[in-house]
Amino acid sequence: SGFHWVIENNLIRFANSLGIDCGTEGGYDPEGDQPRPKEYGYHIIRYNEISDNGTGGIAGAGARNTQILYNVIERNNSLGWTSPEVGGIKVHWFTDGLIEGNILRDNDCHGIWLDNHCINSRVTRNVVINSRGSGIFYELADGYCLIDNNVVAYTRVGDGIYTHDASGAVVAHNLLYANEHFGVYMRVVSNRGGRN
């Protein structure tokens, strides 16, 4: 947990779990002595190489006003988890956020995954190649998200850009090539959220 961190120019490899966790801890404090910050997010994560980690590359619950820029994220989920919540980049409650200019390749999970009320966010100018799962996944959201000018190719077991139980996404000017299923696939799978 924390806010206004700048994480840049690091080589992050071989963690058993995530490369970078940029979210809030939530309500549970396993150590029993750490106060939850009143403010969290507002991070800048840029120019890092994040590879070969056990689960995902970057994840954050509550990573509001966060910018994830120009990172190389590759070969993550080396432990081969097949349960949900694993992505090269996976964020929840990503409000006023920006994911731009990243290269995500050969991740054994979804490439970029925005989940649960990602409002006023943008995913732009990323290259997402050879993900197991969708290249870009937008889930359970109802607030504006612009997904534009990305290259998404060669997804395995997934679509180029996929949304479910979500609305408010604008998908424009992307190059979607040789993905296993659809280039863009939007659907409703439950009644749990989004205006659809």
Side-chain angles (χ1 to χ4, degrees):
S1 291
F3 57 96
H4 293 96
W5 285 68
V6 176
I7 303 170
E8 65 183 353
N9 295 315
N10 297 288
L11 177 60
I12 301 169
R13 302 176 67 201
F14 301 113
N16 274 341
S17 183
L18 295 169
I20 296 174
D21 181 349
C22 61
T24 179
E25 281 187 346
Y28 178 68
D29 174 15
E31 294 87 6
D33 60 355
Q34 296 179 2
R36 181 176 180 180
K38 294 178 182 175
E39 192 173 5
Y40 52 89
Y42 302 87
H43 305 303
I44 298 172
I45 301 169
R46 63 186 171 204
Y47 306 118
N48 299 287
E49 294 182 30
I50 304 165
S51 65
D52 303 295
N53 296 294
T55 58
I58 298 172
R64 61 186 181 194
N65 293 85
T66 291
Q67 299 178 32
I68 301 173
L69 311 168
Y70 313 112
N71 300 283
V72 175
I73 301 168
E74 59 188 349
R75 297 183 308 275
N76 291 289
N77 195 22
S78 62
L79 294 176
W81 295 103
T82 57
S83 61
E85 308 305 328
V86 181
I89 298 171
K90 172 72 192 290
V91 288
H92 289 81
W93 308 292
F94 193 67
T95 303
D96 299 315
L98 175 63
I99 299 173
E100 180 176 358
N102 300 284
I103 297 173
L104 296 100
R105 59 188 172 212
D106 302 323
N107 289 291
D108 198 27
C109 51
H110 296 284
I112 299 170
W113 186 354
L114 291 84
D115 191 356
N116 204 337
H117 303 292
C118 297
I119 299 169
N120 194 30
S121 54
R122 186 175 186 193
V123 178
T124 187
R125 301 178 58 234
N126 300 283
V127 176
V128 186
I129 305 290
N130 195 32
S131 299
R132 183 181 54 82
S134 298
I136 299 173
F137 184 3
Y138 182 63
E139 178 184 18
L140 187 59
D142 55 7
Y144 180 76
C145 180
L146 177 59
I147 301 170
D148 70 303
N149 295 297
N150 299 285
V151 175
V152 182
Y154 300 108
T155 58
R156 301 170 278 132
V157 195
D159 306 293
I161 297 173
Y162 173 70
T163 74
H164 71 227
D165 300 339
S167 61
V170 173
V171 177
H173 308 292
N174 299 284
L175 174 61
L176 309 169
Y177 179 78
N179 295 295
E180 185 175 53
H181 294 136
F182 297 101
V184 177
Y185 185 31
M186 299 179 173
R187 67 183 183 147
V188 175
V189 298
S190 74
N191 62 357
R192 63 192 175 123
R195 292 185 297 268
N196 301 310

